Amino acid sequence: MKTGAKLLIEGLQREGVETIFGYPGGVVLPIYDELYDSPLRHILVRHEQAAAHAADGYARASGRVGVCLATSGPGACNLVTGIATAYMDSIPIVAITGQVPTSLLGNDAFQESDITGITMPVTKHNYLVKKAADLPRVIQEAFYIAGTGRPGPVLIDIPKDVSTGTVEIELPREETVTLRGYQPTYKGHQRQIDRAIELITLAERPLVYAGGGVVLSNASGELVRLVEQMMIPVTTTLMGLGAIPGDHPLNLGMLGMHGTEYANFAVTECDLLIAVGVRFDDRVTGKLDTFAPHAKIIHVDIDPAEIGKNKQVDVPIVGDVGNILGEIVIRLQKTGQYHPWLEKIKGWKKKHPLRYKDDGKLRPQYIIQQLSDLLKGEGIIVSEVGQNQMWTAQYYCFRKPRTWITSGGLGTMGYGLPASMGVHYARPDQAVFDIAGDGSIQMNIQEFGTIAQYKIPVKVAILNNQYLGMVRQWQELFYDRRYSFTELPPVDFVKIGQAYGIDGIRVESRDDVQSALKTAIDTPGPFILDFRIEREENVFPIVPPGAANNEMIGGSNS
Amino acid sequence: MKPHSLSILVENRAGVLSRVTGLFSRRGFNIESLAVGTCEEPGMSRITIVCIGDDAQIEQVMKQLNKLIDVIKVSDLTGNERVERELAMIKVTVDSGASRSEILQIAQIFRAQVVDMGTKTIVLQITGNTEKIDALETLLRQYGVKELVRTGKIGMLRGSKTVKSGK
Ligand SMILES: Cc1ncc(C[n+]2csc(CCOP(=O)(O)OP(=O)(O)O)c2C)c(N)n1
């Protein structure tokens, strides 16, 4: 005889779960009691949102499914932002919530909220479990759904009487999950692959536009092989950074709103756009009808609904990005003959590099560059949201996939610190930096408590400009410098750290950047760096909202 | 932009209807009509949804529907040889013997059945396609339609083709 709570823990173990992030409460008491002497490692966060982000960070860094746990009502509702963040970036997590007993469901009982209803639009699937005997199957399905096809979050809501309920006999575990409504396509359609190969062979100015899908499908090897064999330049989205080394000669860096000028020029002039694991997001495309206006488009993605959603394409290929790129590489016979095109791009790169004013003042771009040099592509960089995120995307040289962890689709401030905790448990061998703004860090600053308690060696580098910098930048550029509610009073983050028992230093001069970063790296355990940067530094270049990608401002021409 | 009838085969599970309809509202598609019930397969239901959109929009909504784990199969019946039916009940006011016999005459022409008759009202039941029901409704308006209820359209392909599992 086993309780539902026991079945849950066993189910998690069978799925290979080692670490879960959670926060207890009334209806999950039976589950917590079972956790008390289980081999699962449970990390007690300080807010359920952080549990969801930590599970998400764990998943992004490891490629495995992350798990978080919360109580009903307020606990479950606090997970929602984290679940939505994972959903927008297709990150596999399983969120487990407690629920009021089945007899009280729908009664507005104490701490009841309809969390399956609330999360329906932000989960890949969710379950309200009505009896303990269903738990083993539901857990197996949830992990399968979260981790396969286009990954995403799955929520399992477990009423208290289901956790305490007992089962006499356990059904044997099925070897594989079969769901008649869920059969992802992994292999590309042969005729479409033929057509793609033909277009690649005929193109004169091809460009690969690679996104998070390449990272998610662990396809960066295939991507690099393809572009090296054919000598095709590559631009990546924010989520695709790291899919090809930042310093690879064929890499043009990020495209879109804060992309490099040469990447945006290349998209505007290419005659073939090979879009892999991307979704033509508006932050990438700018004005849609001027995006890749001269190009035929090949679009490879595992989600058929992404193909043709925003932009008509010429060759749709549904399937796993890695499989399909691998097959294209094998079948492409010739190497590419795109010399004039590559020369042209080289010219743009030379004439329009990313640049900032390095005048001895403490500028954020310099800090990121120094960190990049110090870590030499080792380590995992997590970010918050805003200017800090964009400067990191622009100036950090990511050399490997899964070393750049950021909330792209939802752009969730407060994501970085808790996500870094998950990253650490996924890759304990790696140095983990959270690059933060002073606004974002205060959205989940309570997690200083968690990193202090577990001595999680996350280094928090706050690019402190005493503004909600990205919003202030838009007000400066597009709202006549009317800084409406974007100024933040100075906060002494080192002191806050001290209160939690975390060491830190404040850095006010450019000359101290290197040594401060080194101190952070060399100090065991967590560390806080409070960089007092130039307050009104902007992220440039920028494609103004609604403009075409080649109409960037703040680039090297202006 | 024209109406499309989507036939959606789903797992007969709690919440499936709200997954399907939630997707329509979330993605900005209007539902013109909706009909749902069990079907020939145990454990499954069939939903017929009529919605209006251009081809690209309909393709997108079908792809999104297909992504729902509880959706087994989605077909657009529009453009195929198909039979479609809807049932409506119309409660009409009768205020004189003359109007009563006129209404009954109209019912006969439309092959509508009288399912209830009171001193002040008649309830007619009509089955047919949307246009036929619309036409009857328009005619009856002059007598006073007190209440009207429609099932929403249901449909299936003609011949041996079916909307079955196996996505
Ligand atoms: C939860 C949340 N609320 C609001 C926003 C809107 N927003 C985007 S960037 C930004 C400012 C971020 O300020 P800060 O963290 O200090 O970073 P900076 O831009 O100064 O680097 C805001 C408010 C958001 N992305 N997320």
Side-chain angles (χ1 to χ4, degrees):
Chain A
M1 209 165 71
K2 276 177 188 165
T3 64
K6 177 104 189 145
L7 289 173
L8 170 67
I9 303 300
E10 284 182 358
L12 294 178
Q13 285 179 277
R14 265 207 298 257
E15 297 300 328
V17 175
E18 288 158 2
T19 307
I20 68 179
F21 303 90
Y23 205 88
V27 296
V28 284
L29 275 166
I31 297 172
Y32 270 84
D33 192 58
E34 202 56 58
L35 271 174
Y36 189 64
D37 36 26
S38 103
L40 286 181
R41 169 164 50 200
H42 174 275
I43 304 299
L44 176 70
V45 294
R46 295 297 179 273
H47 184 298
E48 290 86 351
Q49 183 187 349
H53 289 326
D56 164 313
Y58 180 94
R60 293 188 203 225
S62 66
R64 297 163 54 199
V65 178
V67 183
C68 58
L69 168 63
T71 191
S72 65
C77 287
N78 274 346
L79 289 179
V80 172
T81 306
I83 294 172
T85 303
Y87 184 71
M88 287 295 273
D89 289 341
S90 310
I91 304 305
I93 66 171
V94 168
I96 298 158
T97 50
Q99 181 57 279
V100 302
T102 48
S103 58
L104 294 180
L105 277 174
N107 259 321
D108 304 315
F110 177 64
Q111 293 195 327
E112 176 180 7
S113 65
D114 172 15
I115 198 64
T116 45
I118 290 170
T119 58
M120 221 172 252
V122 293
T123 48
K124 185 168 171 186
H125 194 54
N126 60 23
Y127 294 89
L128 171 57
V129 184
K130 294 282 184 60
K131 48 185 203 294
D134 290 341
L135 270 168
R137 174 185 58 81
V138 167
I139 293 161
Q140 196 181 1
E141 282 182 14
F143 277 80
Y144 174 69
I145 291 169
T148 55
R150 177 179 182 171
V154 177
L155 179 134
I156 308 175
D157 198 21
I158 308 177
K160 188 170 186 184
D161 56 323
V162 173
S163 299
T164 53
T166 51
V167 218
E168 293 297 335
I169 37 159
E170 227 182 305
L171 294 172
R173 182 185 150 93
E174 301 287 333
E175 272 310 308
T176 51
V177 178
T178 34
L179 294 161
R180 48 192 177 187
Y182 177 66
Q183 276 130 32
T185 309
Y186 294 104
K187 241 180 95 49
H189 193 283
Q190 279 311 311
R191 212 164 42 92
Q192 303 292 12
I193 292 179
D194 292 344
R195 289 179 59 206
I197 287 173
E198 194 183 314
L199 286 186
I200 294 172
T201 322
L202 290 175
E204 288 174 7
R205 300 185 307 280
L207 177 72
V208 170
Y209 151 39
V214 176
V215 176
L216 290 170
S217 79
N218 300 314
S220 107
E222 285 83 355
L223 173 75
V224 174
R225 225 172 302 141
L226 170 70
V227 300
E228 283 182 348
Q229 177 179 329
M230 295 304 288
M231 292 298 284
I232 303 176
V234 187
T235 176
T236 72
T237 65
L238 180 71
M239 304 312 295
L241 291 173
I244 175 165
D247 51 1
H248 194 289
L250 288 167
N251 188 359
L252 306 183
M254 188 166 75
L255 80 168
M257 182 170 276
H258 290 298
T260 62
E261 284 173 278
Y262 38 94
N264 283 332
F265 292 157
V267 185
T268 311
E269 295 213 2
C270 67
D271 69 350
L272 175 66
L273 189 69
I274 307 164
V276 279
V278 293
R279 57 190 179 88
F280 294 81
D281 178 74
D282 52 275
R283 283 291 189 269
V284 162
T285 61
K287 202 163 118 205
L288 250 184
D289 32 312
T290 55
F291 182 72
H294 311 298
K296 288 232 180 328
I297 299 178
I298 300 168
H299 190 181
V300 185
D301 202 278
I302 196 151
D303 181 359
E306 286 304 339
I307 296 181
K309 185 180 82 176
N310 296 337
K311 183 97 183 159
Q312 273 321 108
V313 305
D314 301 279
V315 181
I317 313 180
V318 176
D320 175 73
V321 167
N323 278 348
I324 292 162
L325 291 184
E327 193 169 341
I328 293 179
V329 179
I330 292 171
R331 295 202 23 216
L332 270 172
Q333 314 251 310
K334 287 188 279 188
T335 59
Q337 303 291 333
Y338 314 122
H339 289 297
W341 173 233
L342 291 172
E343 283 307 309
K344 189 163 199 181
I345 288 175
K346 216 183 259 172
W348 285 331
K349 265 188 157 175
K350 211 162 168 180
K351 207 163 147 216
H352 305 274
L354 275 181
R355 42 132 229 190
Y356 64 95
K357 200 154 146 209
D358 196 8
D359 54 359
K361 295 195 172 138
L362 182 52
R363 296 198 191 263
Q365 300 91 333
Y366 174 78
I367 300 169
I368 303 298
Q369 274 181 335
Q370 288 306 307
L371 181 63
S372 184
D373 289 350
L374 270 174
L375 291 179
K376 298 192 188 66
E378 295 300 312
I380 302 182
I381 306 300
V382 187
S383 87
E384 301 288 345
V385 167
Q387 294 181 311
N388 57 84
Q389 177 183 36
M390 291 301 132
W391 286 318
T392 312
Q394 291 180 330
Y395 288 93
Y396 196 92
C397 181
F398 295 99
R399 290 191 172 82
K400 291 179 202 150
R402 299 193 185 278
T403 60
W404 166 235
I405 312 285
T406 198
S407 163
L410 202 65
T412 308
M413 288 172 70
Y415 169 80
L417 179 58
S420 337
M421 310 189 311
V423 169
H424 166 72
Y425 287 103
R427 301 290 309 275
D429 54 317
Q430 295 286 310
V432 184
F433 267 82
D434 174 33
I435 310 295
D438 52 317
S440 294
I441 195 67
Q442 293 186 77
M443 281 230 176
N444 271 319
I445 200 162
Q446 76 287 343
E447 296 310 312
F448 279 173
T450 311
I451 60 174
Q453 177 181 352
Y454 296 96
K455 303 193 170 50
I456 303 175
V458 169
K459 319 297 176 183
V460 184
I462 304 165
L463 307 178
N464 187 347
N465 50 15
Q466 291 158 52
Y467 278 120
L468 298 172
M470 185 57 96
V471 182
R472 184 209 55 75
Q473 172 171 344
W474 281 52
Q475 289 171 336
E476 177 187 332
L477 298 178
F478 313 121
Y479 290 86
D480 235 358
R481 289 185 151 268
R482 287 156 55 85
Y483 292 169
S484 178
F485 302 101
T486 42
E487 186 161 14
L488 299 173
V491 173
D492 188 338
F493 290 106
V494 174
K495 269 201 181 139
I496 294 188
Q498 275 165 4
Y500 280 100
I502 303 171
D503 280 341
I505 34 183
R506 182 191 296 183
V507 184
E508 283 165 321
S509 133
R510 180 186 186 279
D511 299 336
D512 298 335
V513 170
Q514 268 210 18
S515 66
L517 288 170
K518 276 192 191 133
T519 309
I521 294 168
D522 294 340
T523 309
F527 201 83
I528 293 164
L529 292 164
D530 182 1
F531 290 107
R532 299 299 172 103
I533 61 166
E534 274 303 292
R535 293 194 62 204
E536 300 205 11
E537 187 67 30
N538 284 327
V539 181
F540 283 135
I542 176 173
V543 178
N549 267 355
N550 57 352
E551 297 166 1
M552 311 187 85
I553 55 175
S556 3
N557 276 344
S558 34
Chain B
M1 301 273 267
K2 58 170 198 263
H4 287 250
S5 305
L6 305 183
S7 180
I8 308 165
L9 189 63
V10 299
E11 297 286 355
N12 188 0
R13 287 202 190 118
V16 64
L17 192 59
S18 74
R19 287 182 204 279
V20 168
T21 55
L23 191 144
F24 276 80
S25 61
R26 184 157 80 243
R27 299 217 173 242
F29 297 104
N30 282 324
I31 294 178
E32 292 290 304
S33 78
L34 180 150
V36 57
T38 52
C39 65
E40 75 285 353
E41 295 273 358
M44 294 187 193
S45 293
R46 187 167 270 119
I47 302 175
T48 311
I49 286 182
V50 178
C51 63
I52 294 179
D54 61 30
D55 290 350
Q57 288 170 324
I58 299 297
E59 186 187 330
Q60 178 61 207
V61 83
M62 287 175 66
K63 283 171 163 178
Q64 295 293 351
L65 282 167
N66 256 314
K67 280 166 66 173
L68 296 177
I69 309 289
D70 285 344
V71 167
I72 298 160
K73 174 93 185 168
V74 185
S75 295
D76 186 359
L77 301 178
T78 319
N80 292 295
E81 285 290 310
R82 64 193 187 278
V83 262
E84 291 180 329
R85 287 292 179 274
E86 187 175 2
L87 183 145
M89 290 196 285
I90 309 174
K91 187 176 286 177
V92 198
T93 316
V94 271
D95 44 20
S96 65
S99 68
R100 180 184 302 266
S101 62
E102 280 177 28
I103 292 165
L104 291 177
Q105 227 173 356
I106 293 172
Q108 209 177 12
I109 293 165
F110 277 81
R111 290 198 193 128
Q113 286 143 293
V114 177
V115 288
D116 182 55
M117 193 174 305
T119 51
K120 296 196 176 73
T121 56
I122 298 180
V123 178
L124 298 180
Q125 169 198 305
I126 178 165
T127 321
N129 61 27
T130 307
E131 295 72 39
K132 179 175 164 190
I133 296 173
D134 289 347
L136 176 62
E137 184 198 336
T138 316
L139 275 179
L140 294 175
R141 285 255 171 233
Q142 55 184 311
Y143 304 96
V145 171
K146 278 180 83 79
E147 197 178 347
L148 183 147
V149 52
R150 302 168 78 135
T151 55
K153 202 194 274 182
I154 55 170
M156 63 170 58
L157 298 170
R158 284 188 186 276
S160 54
K161 277 200 277 177
T162 54
V163 176
K164 281 254 193 226
S165 48
K167 265 189 191 172

